[in-house]
Amino acid sequence: MKVSREQAALNRERIVDVAARLFREKGYDGIGVADLMKNAGLTHGGFYGHFASKEDLMIEACQHALEKSLEGWRAKVVSDPQRALPAIIDNYLTTRHRDQPGGGCPAAAMGVDAARMSPGARPAFTKATQQQFALLEGLLSDGAPEERRQQAIATFSAMVGAMVLARCVDDETLSTEILDAVKAQLLQE
């Protein structure tokens, strides 16, 4: 049965949205095309009508997840520019974020997968990372532009690194300690 262009576009959107969540939860190698499509409520056979390969889907899913992440940060800036930076840090470095990677930061959840894939996923990460640095830099008021950029890079890198480490260790107390220590350091500046 042939589907309309509108339905095909909605199906593709659903596939990308589900893939963005599942790739963050399970990693690129942790989920197959058949399970991705099943989770999207579609048949496996329709996959190649939308994407040339699983890697192409990963690239689009990365872009989608990165855009959503930036939208969340921008919403904090619009809602309260003076408190946006502490709110971003406070919201990011939580056990909730640690325990729910499917809805969290793509850099912390998919960065290693993207780095190991063909270069296709890297431009999306590069663009989003530059945008995140610029957003954070705009929230910093002290220092020359070069110093603010350096601080923005260090802040985001510390956040992502803390989340990756907190997810890697098997000791709940240590995991929480990592998040709390980095949060305390970033919020005191």
Side-chain angles (χ1 to χ4, degrees), residues 130-141 144-153:
Q130 290 284 13
Q131 290 174 329
Q132 285 167 309
F133 290 163
L135 186 144
L136 292 174
E137 187 178 342
L139 297 175
L140 300 166
S141 57
E146 307 82 37
E147 293 170 326
R148 290 194 311 272
R149 177 152 174 88
Q150 233 178 19
Q151 188 177 356
I153 291 170

Side-chain angles (χ1 to χ4, degrees), residues 63-77 88 106 124 127-136:
Q63 291 170 331
H64 175 74
L66 291 161
E67 287 168 12
K68 290 290 183 190
S69 180
L70 277 165
E71 283 175 19
W73 284 22
R74 288 182 184 124
K76 286 183 182 358
V77 172
I88 288 168
K127 179 181 175 187
T129 300
Q130 290 284 13
Q131 290 174 329
Q132 285 167 309
F133 290 163
L135 186 144
L136 292 174

